[in-house]
PDB file of all heavy atoms in Angstrom:
ATOM      1  N   SER F 125       0.360  -9.889  -3.256  1.00  0.00           N
ATOM      2  CA  SER F 125      -0.271 -11.185  -3.544  1.00  0.00           C
ATOM      3  C   SER F 125      -1.770 -11.035  -3.793  1.00  0.00           C
ATOM      4  O   SER F 125      -2.326 -11.697  -4.684  1.00  0.00           O
ATOM      5  CB  SER F 125      -0.005 -12.178  -2.413  1.00  0.00           C
ATOM      6  OG  SER F 125      -0.588 -11.741  -1.207  1.00  0.00           O
ATOM      7  N   ALA F 126      -2.442 -10.171  -3.034  1.00  0.00           N
ATOM      8  CA  ALA F 126      -3.887  -9.982  -3.225  1.00  0.00           C
ATOM      9  C   ALA F 126      -4.189  -9.345  -4.577  1.00  0.00           C
ATOM     10  O   ALA F 126      -5.110  -9.770  -5.282  1.00  0.00           O
ATOM     11  CB  ALA F 126      -4.452  -9.118  -2.096  1.00  0.00           C
ATOM     12  N   VAL F 127      -3.403  -8.333  -4.960  1.00  0.00           N
ATOM     13  CA  VAL F 127      -3.629  -7.671  -6.251  1.00  0.00           C
ATOM     14  C   VAL F 127      -3.333  -8.628  -7.396  1.00  0.00           C
ATOM     15  O   VAL F 127      -4.077  -8.684  -8.383  1.00  0.00           O
ATOM     16  CB  VAL F 127      -2.783  -6.380  -6.359  1.00  0.00           C
ATOM     17  CG1 VAL F 127      -2.767  -5.843  -7.776  1.00  0.00           C
ATOM     18  CG2 VAL F 127      -3.335  -5.325  -5.421  1.00  0.00           C
ATOM     19  N   ALA F 128      -2.280  -9.415  -7.275  1.00  0.00           N
ATOM     20  CA  ALA F 128      -1.941 -10.364  -8.338  1.00  0.00           C
ATOM     21  C   ALA F 128      -3.043 -11.409  -8.509  1.00  0.00           C
ATOM     22  O   ALA F 128      -3.450 -11.716  -9.641  1.00  0.00           O
ATOM     23  CB  ALA F 128      -0.606 -11.040  -8.032  1.00  0.00           C
ATOM     24  N   ALA F 129      -3.541 -11.946  -7.396  1.00  0.00           N
ATOM     25  CA  ALA F 129      -4.599 -12.959  -7.484  1.00  0.00           C
ATOM     26  C   ALA F 129      -5.887 -12.363  -8.048  1.00  0.00           C
ATOM     27  O   ALA F 129      -6.547 -12.975  -8.904  1.00  0.00           O
ATOM     28  CB  ALA F 129      -4.846 -13.562  -6.105  1.00  0.00           C
ATOM     29  N   ALA F 130      -6.251 -11.170  -7.588  1.00  0.00           N
ATOM     30  CA  ALA F 130      -7.485 -10.538  -8.073  1.00  0.00           C
ATOM     31  C   ALA F 130      -7.364 -10.145  -9.541  1.00  0.00           C
ATOM     32  O   ALA F 130      -8.323 -10.293 -10.308  1.00  0.00           O
ATOM     33  CB  ALA F 130      -7.814  -9.316  -7.217  1.00  0.00           C
ATOM     34  N   ALA F 131      -6.207  -9.652  -9.946  1.00  0.00           N
ATOM     35  CA  ALA F 131      -6.010  -9.277 -11.353  1.00  0.00           C
ATOM     36  C   ALA F 131      -6.071 -10.502 -12.255  1.00  0.00           C
ATOM     37  O   ALA F 131      -6.638 -10.448 -13.352  1.00  0.00           O
ATOM     38  CB  ALA F 131      -4.675  -8.556 -11.521  1.00  0.00           C
ATOM     39  N   GLN F 132      -5.512 -11.611 -11.800  1.00  0.00           N
ATOM     40  CA  GLN F 132      -5.571 -12.853 -12.594  1.00  0.00           C
ATOM     41  C   GLN F 132      -7.016 -13.330 -12.719  1.00  0.00           C
ATOM     42  O   GLN F 132      -7.457 -13.726 -13.802  1.00  0.00           O
ATOM     43  CB  GLN F 132      -4.689 -13.921 -11.938  1.00  0.00           C
ATOM     44  CG  GLN F 132      -4.526 -15.179 -12.755  1.00  0.00           C
ATOM     45  CD  GLN F 132      -5.564 -16.238 -12.427  1.00  0.00           C
ATOM     46  OE1 GLN F 132      -6.172 -16.223 -11.366  1.00  0.00           O
ATOM     47  NE2 GLN F 132      -5.774 -17.125 -13.360  1.00  0.00           N
ATOM     48  N   SER F 133      -7.775 -13.266 -11.640  1.00  0.00           N
ATOM     49  CA  SER F 133      -9.188 -13.653 -11.700  1.00  0.00           C
ATOM     50  C   SER F 133      -9.974 -12.708 -12.597  1.00  0.00           C
ATOM     51  O   SER F 133     -10.856 -13.133 -13.348  1.00  0.00           O
ATOM     52  CB  SER F 133      -9.797 -13.665 -10.299  1.00  0.00           C
ATOM     53  OG  SER F 133      -9.212 -14.665  -9.520  1.00  0.00           O
ATOM     54  N   GLY F 134      -9.648 -11.416 -12.506  1.00  0.00           N
ATOM     55  CA  GLY F 134     -10.314 -10.442 -13.364  1.00  0.00           C
ATOM     56  C   GLY F 134      -9.999 -10.659 -14.833  1.00  0.00           C
ATOM     57  O   GLY F 134     -10.869 -10.502 -15.691  1.00  0.00           O
ATOM     58  N   ALA F 135      -8.756 -11.022 -15.133  1.00  0.00           N
ATOM     59  CA  ALA F 135      -8.379 -11.298 -16.528  1.00  0.00           C
ATOM     60  C   ALA F 135      -9.143 -12.508 -17.054  1.00  0.00           C
ATOM     61  O   ALA F 135      -9.595 -12.512 -18.212  1.00  0.00           O
ATOM     62  CB  ALA F 135      -6.881 -11.517 -16.642  1.00  0.00           C
ATOM     63  N   LEU F 136      -9.301 -13.529 -16.228  1.00  0.00           N
ATOM     64  CA  LEU F 136     -10.078 -14.699 -16.658  1.00  0.00           C
ATOM     65  C   LEU F 136     -11.543 -14.330 -16.892  1.00  0.00           C
ATOM     66  O   LEU F 136     -12.161 -14.819 -17.843  1.00  0.00           O
ATOM     67  CB  LEU F 136      -9.985 -15.823 -15.627  1.00  0.00           C
ATOM     68  CG  LEU F 136      -8.742 -16.680 -15.691  1.00  0.00           C
ATOM     69  CD1 LEU F 136      -8.738 -17.696 -14.556  1.00  0.00           C
ATOM     70  CD2 LEU F 136      -8.621 -17.384 -17.027  1.00  0.00           C
ATOM     71  N   ALA F 137     -12.098 -13.483 -16.033  1.00  0.00           N
ATOM     72  CA  ALA F 137     -13.488 -13.065 -16.202  1.00  0.00           C
ATOM     73  C   ALA F 137     -13.654 -12.220 -17.457  1.00  0.00           C
ATOM     74  O   ALA F 137     -14.658 -12.325 -18.160  1.00  0.00           O
ATOM     75  CB  ALA F 137     -13.963 -12.300 -14.981  1.00  0.00           C
ATOM     76  N   LYS F 138     -12.674 -11.382 -17.756  1.00  0.00           N
ATOM     77  CA  LYS F 138     -12.758 -10.485 -18.910  1.00  0.00           C
ATOM     78  C   LYS F 138     -12.482 -11.210 -20.224  1.00  0.00           C
ATOM     79  O   LYS F 138     -13.192 -11.016 -21.218  1.00  0.00           O
ATOM     80  CB  LYS F 138     -11.751  -9.335 -18.713  1.00  0.00           C
ATOM     81  CG  LYS F 138     -11.727  -8.325 -19.813  1.00  0.00           C
ATOM     82  CD  LYS F 138     -12.807  -7.324 -19.653  1.00  0.00           C
ATOM     83  CE  LYS F 138     -12.644  -6.218 -20.690  1.00  0.00           C
ATOM     84  NZ  LYS F 138     -13.870  -5.505 -20.868  1.00  0.00           N
ATOM     85  N   LEU F 139     -11.444 -12.047 -20.228  1.00  0.00           N
ATOM     86  CA  LEU F 139     -10.991 -12.670 -21.474  1.00  0.00           C
ATOM     87  C   LEU F 139     -11.466 -14.108 -21.661  1.00  0.00           C
ATOM     88  O   LEU F 139     -11.440 -14.619 -22.782  1.00  0.00           O
ATOM     89  CB  LEU F 139      -9.456 -12.642 -21.544  1.00  0.00           C
ATOM     90  CG  LEU F 139      -8.819 -11.264 -21.379  1.00  0.00           C
ATOM     91  CD1 LEU F 139      -7.315 -11.384 -21.275  1.00  0.00           C
ATOM     92  CD2 LEU F 139      -9.231 -10.351 -22.517  1.00  0.00           C
ATOM     93  N   GLY F 140     -11.852 -14.760 -20.575  1.00  0.00           N
ATOM     94  CA  GLY F 140     -12.210 -16.166 -20.664  1.00  0.00           C
ATOM     95  C   GLY F 140     -10.972 -17.022 -20.895  1.00  0.00           C
ATOM     96  O   GLY F 140      -9.842 -16.541 -20.872  1.00  0.00           O
ATOM     97  N   GLN F 141     -11.211 -18.314 -21.109  1.00  0.00           N
ATOM     98  CA  GLN F 141     -10.130 -19.241 -21.441  1.00  0.00           C
ATOM     99  C   GLN F 141     -10.674 -20.216 -22.477  1.00  0.00           C
ATOM    100  O   GLN F 141     -11.212 -21.258 -22.144  1.00  0.00           O
ATOM    101  CB  GLN F 141      -9.658 -19.973 -20.175  1.00  0.00           C
ATOM    102  CG  GLN F 141      -8.446 -20.837 -20.362  1.00  0.00           C
ATOM    103  CD  GLN F 141      -7.192 -20.016 -20.579  1.00  0.00           C
ATOM    104  OE1 GLN F 141      -7.053 -18.934 -20.041  1.00  0.00           O
ATOM    105  NE2 GLN F 141      -6.289 -20.525 -21.392  1.00  0.00           N
ATOM    106  N   PRO F 142     -10.537 -19.843 -23.770  1.00  0.00           N
ATOM    107  CA  PRO F 142     -11.154 -20.657 -24.824  1.00  0.00           C
ATOM    108  C   PRO F 142     -10.671 -22.111 -24.847  1.00  0.00           C
ATOM    109  O   PRO F 142     -11.443 -23.015 -25.164  1.00  0.00           O
ATOM    110  CB  PRO F 142     -10.746 -19.951 -26.123  1.00  0.00           C
ATOM    111  CG  PRO F 142     -10.322 -18.588 -25.716  1.00  0.00           C
ATOM    112  CD  PRO F 142      -9.872 -18.669 -24.297  1.00  0.00           C
ATOM    113  N   GLU F 143      -9.405 -22.346 -24.497  1.00  0.00           N
ATOM    114  CA  GLU F 143      -8.884 -23.714 -24.519  1.00  0.00           C
ATOM    115  C   GLU F 143      -9.605 -24.619 -23.529  1.00  0.00           C
ATOM    116  O   GLU F 143      -9.717 -25.826 -23.739  1.00  0.00           O
ATOM    117  CB  GLU F 143      -7.372 -23.725 -24.195  1.00  0.00           C
ATOM    118  CG  GLU F 143      -6.505 -23.015 -25.214  1.00  0.00           C
ATOM    119  CD  GLU F 143      -6.428 -21.519 -25.002  1.00  0.00           C
ATOM    120  OE1 GLU F 143      -6.955 -21.010 -23.987  1.00  0.00           O
ATOM    121  OE2 GLU F 143      -5.862 -20.832 -25.871  1.00  0.00           O
ATOM    122  N   LEU F 144     -10.100 -24.043 -22.444  1.00  0.00           N
ATOM    123  CA  LEU F 144     -10.828 -24.814 -21.437  1.00  0.00           C
ATOM    124  C   LEU F 144     -12.336 -24.591 -21.523  1.00  0.00           C
ATOM    125  O   LEU F 144     -13.078 -25.061 -20.677  1.00  0.00           O
ATOM    126  CB  LEU F 144     -10.336 -24.435 -20.036  1.00  0.00           C
ATOM    127  CG  LEU F 144      -8.858 -24.699 -19.758  1.00  0.00           C
ATOM    128  CD1 LEU F 144      -8.472 -24.164 -18.399  1.00  0.00           C
ATOM    129  CD2 LEU F 144      -8.557 -26.182 -19.855  1.00  0.00           C
ATOM    130  N   GLN F 145     -12.753 -23.854 -22.542  1.00  0.00           N
ATOM    131  CA  GLN F 145     -14.160 -23.523 -22.780  1.00  0.00           C
ATOM    132  C   GLN F 145     -14.761 -22.715 -21.625  1.00  0.00           C
ATOM    133  O   GLN F 145     -15.919 -22.884 -21.267  1.00  0.00           O
ATOM    134  CB  GLN F 145     -14.983 -24.787 -23.051  1.00  0.00           C
ATOM    135  CG  GLN F 145     -14.531 -25.521 -24.292  1.00  0.00           C
ATOM    136  CD  GLN F 145     -15.306 -26.791 -24.541  1.00  0.00           C
ATOM    137  OE1 GLN F 145     -16.127 -27.224 -23.744  1.00  0.00           O
ATOM    138  NE2 GLN F 145     -15.044 -27.407 -25.692  1.00  0.00           N
ATOM    139  N   TRP F 146     -13.956 -21.835 -21.036  1.00  0.00           N
ATOM    140  CA  TRP F 146     -14.458 -20.909 -20.036  1.00  0.00           C
ATOM    141  C   TRP F 146     -14.882 -19.646 -20.754  1.00  0.00           C
ATOM    142  O   TRP F 146     -14.126 -19.050 -21.502  1.00  0.00           O
ATOM    143  CB  TRP F 146     -13.390 -20.567 -19.008  1.00  0.00           C
ATOM    144  CG  TRP F 146     -12.994 -21.715 -18.128  1.00  0.00           C
ATOM    145  CD1 TRP F 146     -13.597 -22.926 -18.026  1.00  0.00           C
ATOM    146  CD2 TRP F 146     -11.888 -21.761 -17.233  1.00  0.00           C
ATOM    147  NE1 TRP F 146     -12.951 -23.720 -17.134  1.00  0.00           N
ATOM    148  CE2 TRP F 146     -11.888 -23.034 -16.622  1.00  0.00           C
ATOM    149  CE3 TRP F 146     -10.896 -20.865 -16.879  1.00  0.00           C
ATOM    150  CZ2 TRP F 146     -10.955 -23.416 -15.685  1.00  0.00           C
ATOM    151  CZ3 TRP F 146      -9.966 -21.239 -15.947  1.00  0.00           C
ATOM    152  CH2 TRP F 146      -9.998 -22.502 -15.351  1.00  0.00           C
ATOM    153  N   MET F 147     -16.114 -19.232 -20.526  1.00  0.00           N
ATOM    154  CA  MET F 147     -16.633 -18.080 -21.260  1.00  0.00           C
ATOM    155  C   MET F 147     -16.247 -16.757 -20.599  1.00  0.00           C
ATOM    156  O   MET F 147     -15.816 -16.718 -19.451  1.00  0.00           O
ATOM    157  CB  MET F 147     -18.147 -18.182 -21.375  1.00  0.00           C
ATOM    158  CG  MET F 147     -18.877 -18.274 -20.071  1.00  0.00           C
ATOM    159  SD  MET F 147     -20.569 -18.712 -20.380  1.00  0.00           S
ATOM    160  CE  MET F 147     -21.378 -17.474 -19.432  1.00  0.00           C
ATOM    161  N   LYS F 148     -16.429 -15.697 -21.361  1.00  0.00           N
ATOM    162  CA  LYS F 148     -16.156 -14.346 -20.878  1.00  0.00           C
ATOM    163  C   LYS F 148     -17.342 -13.896 -20.020  1.00  0.00           C
ATOM    164  O   LYS F 148     -18.403 -13.600 -20.534  1.00  0.00           O
ATOM    165  CB  LYS F 148     -15.955 -13.392 -22.047  1.00  0.00           C
ATOM    166  CG  LYS F 148     -14.793 -13.756 -22.939  1.00  0.00           C
ATOM    167  CD  LYS F 148     -14.718 -12.828 -24.132  1.00  0.00           C
ATOM    168  CE  LYS F 148     -13.599 -13.248 -25.046  1.00  0.00           C
ATOM    169  NZ  LYS F 148     -13.503 -12.384 -26.219  1.00  0.00           N
ATOM    170  N   VAL F 149     -17.136 -13.842 -18.729  1.00  0.00           N
ATOM    171  CA  VAL F 149     -18.209 -13.508 -17.795  1.00  0.00           C
ATOM    172  C   VAL F 149     -18.530 -12.015 -17.845  1.00  0.00           C
ATOM    173  O   VAL F 149     -19.677 -11.608 -17.654  1.00  0.00           O
ATOM    174  CB  VAL F 149     -17.819 -13.937 -16.363  1.00  0.00           C
ATOM    175  CG1 VAL F 149     -18.878 -13.553 -15.362  1.00  0.00           C
ATOM    176  CG2 VAL F 149     -17.573 -15.428 -16.324  1.00  0.00           C
ATOM    177  N   CYS F 150     -17.543 -11.195 -18.139  1.00  0.00           N
ATOM    178  CA  CYS F 150     -17.755  -9.742 -18.131  1.00  0.00           C
ATOM    179  C   CYS F 150     -18.666  -9.282 -19.265  1.00  0.00           C
ATOM    180  O   CYS F 150     -19.156  -8.153 -19.222  1.00  0.00           O
ATOM    181  CB  CYS F 150     -16.411  -9.010 -18.181  1.00  0.00           C
ATOM    182  SG  CYS F 150     -15.530  -9.104 -16.620  1.00  0.00           S
ATOM    183  N   ASN F 151     -18.885 -10.118 -20.256  1.00  0.00           N
ATOM    184  CA  ASN F 151     -19.861  -9.757 -21.293  1.00  0.00           C
ATOM    185  C   ASN F 151     -21.276  -9.712 -20.721  1.00  0.00           C
ATOM    186  O   ASN F 151     -22.103  -8.936 -21.171  1.00  0.00           O
ATOM    187  CB  ASN F 151     -19.800 -10.753 -22.449  1.00  0.00           C
ATOM    188  CG  ASN F 151     -18.540 -10.612 -23.264  1.00  0.00           C
ATOM    189  OD1 ASN F 151     -17.825  -9.616 -23.156  1.00  0.00           O
ATOM    190  ND2 ASN F 151     -18.245 -11.611 -24.075  1.00  0.00           N
ATOM    191  N   MET F 152     -21.542 -10.543 -19.718  1.00  0.00           N
ATOM    192  CA  MET F 152     -22.871 -10.582 -19.104  1.00  0.00           C
ATOM    193  C   MET F 152     -22.984  -9.633 -17.906  1.00  0.00           C
ATOM    194  O   MET F 152     -24.039  -9.091 -17.636  1.00  0.00           O
ATOM    195  CB  MET F 152     -23.195 -12.002 -18.645  1.00  0.00           C
ATOM    196  CG  MET F 152     -23.348 -12.986 -19.785  1.00  0.00           C
ATOM    197  SD  MET F 152     -23.834 -14.618 -19.227  1.00  0.00           S
ATOM    198  CE  MET F 152     -22.363 -15.151 -18.382  1.00  0.00           C
ATOM    199  N   TYR F 153     -21.899  -9.463 -17.166  1.00  0.00           N
ATOM    200  CA  TYR F 153     -21.909  -8.654 -15.939  1.00  0.00           C
ATOM    201  C   TYR F 153     -20.946  -7.481 -16.083  1.00  0.00           C
ATOM    202  O   TYR F 153     -19.958  -7.363 -15.351  1.00  0.00           O
ATOM    203  CB  TYR F 153     -21.509  -9.516 -14.736  1.00  0.00           C
ATOM    204  CG  TYR F 153     -22.462 -10.642 -14.440  1.00  0.00           C
ATOM    205  CD1 TYR F 153     -22.166 -11.954 -14.817  1.00  0.00           C
ATOM    206  CD2 TYR F 153     -23.660 -10.405 -13.786  1.00  0.00           C
ATOM    207  CE1 TYR F 153     -23.029 -12.991 -14.542  1.00  0.00           C
ATOM    208  CE2 TYR F 153     -24.538 -11.437 -13.506  1.00  0.00           C
ATOM    209  CZ  TYR F 153     -24.216 -12.728 -13.884  1.00  0.00           C
ATOM    210  OH  TYR F 153     -25.082 -13.754 -13.614  1.00  0.00           O
ATOM    211  N   ALA F 154     -21.241  -6.595 -17.000  1.00  0.00           N
ATOM    212  CA  ALA F 154     -20.328  -5.486 -17.309  1.00  0.00           C
ATOM    213  C   ALA F 154     -20.163  -4.532 -16.130  1.00  0.00           C
ATOM    214  O   ALA F 154     -19.036  -4.152 -15.776  1.00  0.00           O
ATOM    215  CB  ALA F 154     -20.815  -4.734 -18.537  1.00  0.00           C
ATOM    216  N   LYS F 155     -21.253  -4.131 -15.486  1.00  0.00           N
ATOM    217  CA  LYS F 155     -21.168  -3.203 -14.349  1.00  0.00           C
ATOM    218  C   LYS F 155     -20.366  -3.820 -13.213  1.00  0.00           C
ATOM    219  O   LYS F 155     -19.514  -3.176 -12.607  1.00  0.00           O
ATOM    220  CB  LYS F 155     -22.569  -2.840 -13.864  1.00  0.00           C
ATOM    221  CG  LYS F 155     -22.577  -1.919 -12.641  1.00  0.00           C
ATOM    222  CD  LYS F 155     -23.851  -2.167 -11.818  1.00  0.00           C
ATOM    223  CE  LYS F 155     -23.728  -1.705 -10.413  1.00  0.00           C
ATOM    224  NZ  LYS F 155     -23.068  -2.599  -9.499  1.00  0.00           N
ATOM    225  N   PHE F 156     -20.621  -5.069 -12.942  1.00  0.00           N
ATOM    226  CA  PHE F 156     -19.901  -5.782 -11.887  1.00  0.00           C
ATOM    227  C   PHE F 156     -18.395  -5.801 -12.177  1.00  0.00           C
ATOM    228  O   PHE F 156     -17.577  -5.481 -11.314  1.00  0.00           O
ATOM    229  CB  PHE F 156     -20.447  -7.219 -11.785  1.00  0.00           C
ATOM    230  CG  PHE F 156     -19.750  -8.078 -10.777  1.00  0.00           C
ATOM    231  CD1 PHE F 156     -20.030  -7.952  -9.431  1.00  0.00           C
ATOM    232  CD2 PHE F 156     -18.823  -9.030 -11.178  1.00  0.00           C
ATOM    233  CE1 PHE F 156     -19.389  -8.754  -8.499  1.00  0.00           C
ATOM    234  CE2 PHE F 156     -18.179  -9.832 -10.254  1.00  0.00           C
ATOM    235  CZ  PHE F 156     -18.462  -9.698  -8.911  1.00  0.00           C
ATOM    236  N   CYS F 157     -18.037  -6.146 -13.385  1.00  0.00           N
ATOM    237  CA  CYS F 157     -16.618  -6.231 -13.759  1.00  0.00           C
ATOM    238  C   CYS F 157     -15.938  -4.863 -13.739  1.00  0.00           C
ATOM    239  O   CYS F 157     -14.779  -4.757 -13.331  1.00  0.00           O
ATOM    240  CB  CYS F 157     -16.478  -6.877 -15.141  1.00  0.00           C
ATOM    241  SG  CYS F 157     -16.820  -8.646 -15.123  1.00  0.00           S
ATOM    242  N   ASN F 158     -16.638  -3.827 -14.186  1.00  0.00           N
ATOM    243  CA  ASN F 158     -16.041  -2.486 -14.167  1.00  0.00           C
ATOM    244  C   ASN F 158     -15.740  -2.026 -12.744  1.00  0.00           C
ATOM    245  O   ASN F 158     -14.678  -1.468 -12.476  1.00  0.00           O
ATOM    246  CB  ASN F 158     -16.955  -1.481 -14.866  1.00  0.00           C
ATOM    247  CG  ASN F 158     -16.955  -1.662 -16.370  1.00  0.00           C
ATOM    248  OD1 ASN F 158     -16.023  -2.212 -16.942  1.00  0.00           O
ATOM    249  ND2 ASN F 158     -18.025  -1.213 -17.001  1.00  0.00           N
ATOM    250  N   GLN F 159     -16.679  -2.270 -11.825  1.00  0.00           N
ATOM    251  CA  GLN F 159     -16.464  -1.855 -10.441  1.00  0.00           C
ATOM    252  C   GLN F 159     -15.350  -2.684  -9.795  1.00  0.00           C
ATOM    253  O   GLN F 159     -14.554  -2.152  -9.020  1.00  0.00           O
ATOM    254  CB  GLN F 159     -17.759  -1.968  -9.633  1.00  0.00           C
ATOM    255  CG  GLN F 159     -17.658  -1.320  -8.269  1.00  0.00           C
ATOM    256  CD  GLN F 159     -19.001  -1.153  -7.600  1.00  0.00           C
ATOM    257  OE1 GLN F 159     -20.032  -1.027  -8.264  1.00  0.00           O
ATOM    258  NE2 GLN F 159     -18.997  -1.135  -6.281  1.00  0.00           N
ATOM    259  N   ILE F 160     -15.274  -3.968 -10.127  1.00  0.00           N
ATOM    260  CA  ILE F 160     -14.183  -4.803  -9.616  1.00  0.00           C
ATOM    261  C   ILE F 160     -12.843  -4.280 -10.146  1.00  0.00           C
ATOM    262  O   ILE F 160     -11.852  -4.210  -9.410  1.00  0.00           O
ATOM    263  CB  ILE F 160     -14.387  -6.287 -10.009  1.00  0.00           C
ATOM    264  CG1 ILE F 160     -15.592  -6.875  -9.280  1.00  0.00           C
ATOM    265  CG2 ILE F 160     -13.131  -7.107  -9.750  1.00  0.00           C
ATOM    266  CD1 ILE F 160     -15.463  -6.953  -7.787  1.00  0.00           C
ATOM    267  N   GLY F 161     -12.805  -3.886 -11.415  1.00  0.00           N
ATOM    268  CA  GLY F 161     -11.579  -3.330 -11.991  1.00  0.00           C
ATOM    269  C   GLY F 161     -11.145  -2.058 -11.279  1.00  0.00           C
ATOM    270  O   GLY F 161      -9.946  -1.849 -11.038  1.00  0.00           O
TER     271      GLY F 161
END
Side-chain angles (χ1 to χ4, degrees):
S125 63
V127 168
Q132 188 268 339
S133 294
L136 279 176
K138 180 82 173 160
L139 305 172
Q141 187 71 33
E143 296 84 6
L144 299 175
Q145 298 178 354
W146 293 350
M147 58 191 230
K148 299 176 183 179
V149 177
C150 287
N151 289 345
M152 294 184 291
Y153 297 102
K155 178 209 159 278
F156 177 78
C157 288
N158 287 337
Q159 190 167 332
I160 292 296

